[in-house]
Amino acid sequence: MAEYKYDIVVFGASSFVGEILCNYLAGCKEEPALRWAIAGRSASKLEAVKAKIGKADLDIIIAEANDETALRKLCSQTRVVTTTVGPYALYGETLVKVCAETGTDYCDLTGEVQWIRQMVDRYDSVAKASGARIVNCCGFDSIPSDLGVFYTQQQSQELFGENCNKIQMRVKAAKGGLSGGTFASLINVMKEAAGNPALRKEMADPYSLCPGETDKARQINPGLAQFDSLSNSWTIPFIMAAINTRVVQRSNFLLKPAYAKPFLYDEAMQVGEGLGGRLRATAMGGGLAGFMVTASLKPGRWVLERLLPSPGEGPSPEDQKNGYYDLRFYGSTAKGKTLLCKVTGDRDPGYGSTAKMLGQASICLARDIDKNEVGGGLLTPASCFGNTLIERLKAYSGLSFSVIE
C-alpha cells in the first residue's frame, strides 16, 4: 500500500460545515493518531480555522476548486479527500476528475442528484480502473436513509431469512436548520432544471443513478398532504427524498446480492394525527409546493436569494447541539413478514450530525475499507461502508440503529 503524508485532507475547510467538520476531527481519538490537513483557496481563512479549533500545527494546502494542477498535488499527499465545496454542480467536477484519475478516495456532502449522475457517466469507469472510491452523499443526505435501509435488510434476513422487497421511511421527528450553502445548492438545482426539459425528466426518474438497470417498478411518491396508515399520522413529502430515494436505489443497483429486484422505497415526513395533523399537513404541504414553484422561476429565485441565508451562514452552535432526528423504517417482505427499525441522531441533522457522519465516513474510508475488498467507482455509503460505518456511527457520531418490532 502506498504511503501518504495524510489520511485525510479537508477541502473547503473554511466553509460553514467544513469548519464544524474540522472541529470534530480535532477531537477524534484515533489510534494511531489521525494525520490530516486542511485545504482551500484562502490562506487567511484557513489560518482562522486553525486558530478557532486550536490546532496550530495543522498543515494548510492552497488550491482552487478549478485548479487541476493544484488538486493533483493535493491528491498525491493523501489517502482521502473530503470536500464541502458546493454547490458541487458549480465547483465539484475537477476534484472528482482528479481523484478518479489518480486513484484517490473521496467523500462529499452533495445532494445534487443531477450532478451525481453526470459524475457517474463521466468518471465511474475511470475510478474503477484506478481504484478510487468516490463516495457521494456522506451527510444527512443520505447516510441515515441509505444505512437505515441496509440495517433494516440485515435485520429482516436475521429474523425472516429474506430481504424486504419494500421499505418506507418516515421522519417521525426532527429539529434543525439549513445553511446558506444548502439553499444555494437547492436553488442552483432548480435553476438548471428550469431551462432544461431533459434534465427535468432525468431528475424525475427514481432510477436516475442506476444507468442500465432493467428491473424497475413504479415507485411511490407520497402526496402533499395524506394520511399514512403505517405511522398512523398525516404526512407531507420529505424535502430530502428526491436525493435519498435515488441513493438507496443506487445501493440496491450496486450491492451484490441486491436487496430485491425490483425494490420499492419511499420517504415522507410525519406531521401529526387527527384534525390538527391534517391541517398542518395541508399548510406545510402547500408551503413546500409554493417554495418549489418560486424556486423554479427566475424572479422567484432572485427573491429567495435575498431572503434566505447566504453561503457561510447557518444554525448557531446551540441550535446544532439541541437538534435531533428520529427516522422509522417500515419493511415488508414478499412473504408478508413485517418489521420496524429506527435510526436516530443526537444533533441537528444538516450540520451538527452531518459533520460527525462525514468525519467518520472519511476515517472509515482511509483506515477501514480495504481496496482489495471494495473496489473503485462512484459508490454510495451502503455499497462502500456497510456495517463498518454503522458501528463507527454508533460509537462516535451519536447515531443509533435499532429494531422496534
Side-chain angles (χ1 to χ4, degrees):
M1 181 178 291
E3 186 57 43
Y4 294 95
K5 186 175 182 180
Y6 308 113
D7 296 309
I8 299 165
V9 171
V10 178
F11 185 56
S14 63
S15 70
F16 187 82
V17 72
E19 186 176 303
I20 303 170
L21 169 62
C22 290
N23 189 61
Y24 176 73
L25 290 176
C28 286
K29 306 298 183 183
E30 288 287 319
E31 292 294 340
L34 193 66
R35 302 170 303 160
W36 63 292
I38 56 177
R41 64 181 181 177
S42 170
S44 60
K45 289 182 179 180
L46 294 172
E47 288 289 354
V49 172
K50 287 173 56 174
K52 192 167 184 178
I53 66 174
K55 293 286 287 185
D57 60 343
L58 199 60
D59 289 348
I60 284 176
I61 300 171
I62 303 300
E64 293 268 1
N66 62 353
D67 187 339
E68 187 170 327
T69 300
L71 293 176
R72 285 185 181 277
K73 184 177 180 181
L74 183 159
C75 287
S76 71
Q77 302 179 70
T78 187
R79 296 187 186 282
V80 176
V81 179
T82 298
T83 175
T84 67
V85 179
Y88 292 87
L90 298 179
Y91 307 114
E93 180 171 356
T94 304
L95 182 56
V96 171
K97 176 180 184 289
V98 170
C99 286
E101 291 176 349
T102 60
T104 307
D105 292 339
Y106 164 106
C107 292
D108 72 22
L109 290 174
T110 188
E112 299 158 63
V113 69
Q114 88 290 1
W115 179 75
I116 299 173
R117 175 55 192 265
Q118 292 172 2
M119 298 303 98
V120 169
D121 290 344
R122 295 171 188 173
Y123 303 111
D124 187 45
S125 61
V126 179
K128 286 178 178 176
S130 71
R133 284 85 60 89
I134 311 293
V135 192
N136 304 116
C137 307
C138 292
F140 185 64
D141 49 330
S142 299
I143 278 180
S145 294
D146 200 29
L147 291 184
V149 169
F150 184 88
Y151 175 84
T152 302
Q153 295 288 18
Q154 287 191 308
Q155 305 313 305
S156 182
Q157 275 288 346
E158 289 186 16
L159 291 168
F160 313 130
E162 61 176 330
N163 281 345
C164 298
N165 62 350
K166 180 179 181 180
I167 293 178
Q168 296 170 273
M169 188 277 272
R170 298 294 179 259
V171 182
K172 180 175 176 60
K175 180 182 179 183
L178 297 177
S179 82
T182 297
F183 284 118
S185 293
L186 178 59
I187 289 173
N188 184 67
V189 170
M190 300 303 292
K191 181 179 179 180
E192 287 189 30
N196 189 335
L199 178 58
R200 292 198 296 273
K201 182 178 179 180
E202 174 73 26
M203 291 172 63
D205 180 6
Y207 295 95
S208 62
L209 299 184
C210 306
E213 176 63 86
T214 56
D215 285 312
K216 298 181 179 181
R218 184 175 181 272
Q219 298 290 327
I220 298 169
N221 292 309
L224 285 176
Q226 68 181 46
F227 184 77
D228 176 54
S229 59
L230 282 173
S231 58
N232 194 36
S233 173
W234 285 86
T235 63
I236 61 171
F238 181 42
I239 194 169
M240 310 311 300
I243 178 64
N244 292 338
T245 55
R246 275 65 172 171
V247 171
V248 168
Q249 289 295 344
R250 181 160 177 81
S251 291
N252 188 54
F253 177 71
L254 294 174
L255 286 167
K256 306 297 182 212
Y259 301 140
K261 292 286 188 174
F263 174 61
L264 298 175
Y265 180 69
D266 67 81
E267 298 187 342
M269 185 170 187
Q270 298 174 219
V271 295
E273 302 176 8
L275 179 59
R278 182 174 186 175
L279 293 173
R280 281 191 294 275
T282 301
M284 294 171 70
L288 179 61
F291 174 83
M292 300 306 288
V293 169
T294 301
S296 69
L297 302 172
K298 186 175 181 179
R301 291 193 298 273
W302 185 89
V303 172
L304 290 174
E305 286 169 350
R306 283 150 182 79
L307 294 177
L308 297 173
S310 300
E313 300 176 354
S316 69
E318 189 67 20
D319 287 339
Q320 294 169 36
K321 184 177 180 180
N322 292 333
Y324 58 86
Y325 52 92
D326 182 340
L327 312 182
R328 304 298 171 94
F329 295 81
Y330 295 83
S332 57
T333 73
K335 295 181 180 178
K337 302 291 186 180
T338 62
L339 79 162
L340 173 59
C341 296
K342 175 170 72 170
V343 175
T344 65
D346 68 347
R347 292 289 187 273
D348 81 294
Y351 295 89
S353 185
T354 278
K356 295 194 291 183
M357 287 186 278
L358 179 60
Q360 288 303 322
S362 303
I363 297 169
C364 189
L365 191 56
R367 296 203 162 172
D368 301 339
I369 308 298
D370 193 289
K371 283 184 178 281
N372 293 320
E373 296 177 4
V374 178
L378 273 287
L379 306 176
T380 61
S383 64
C384 184
F385 302 124
N387 279 323
T388 307
L389 183 56
I390 287 176
E391 293 306 314
R392 275 192 169 274
L393 296 174
K394 289 162 61 177
Y396 307 117
S397 294
L399 270 71
S400 73
F401 294 75
S402 59
V403 177
I404 297 177
E405 60 184 44

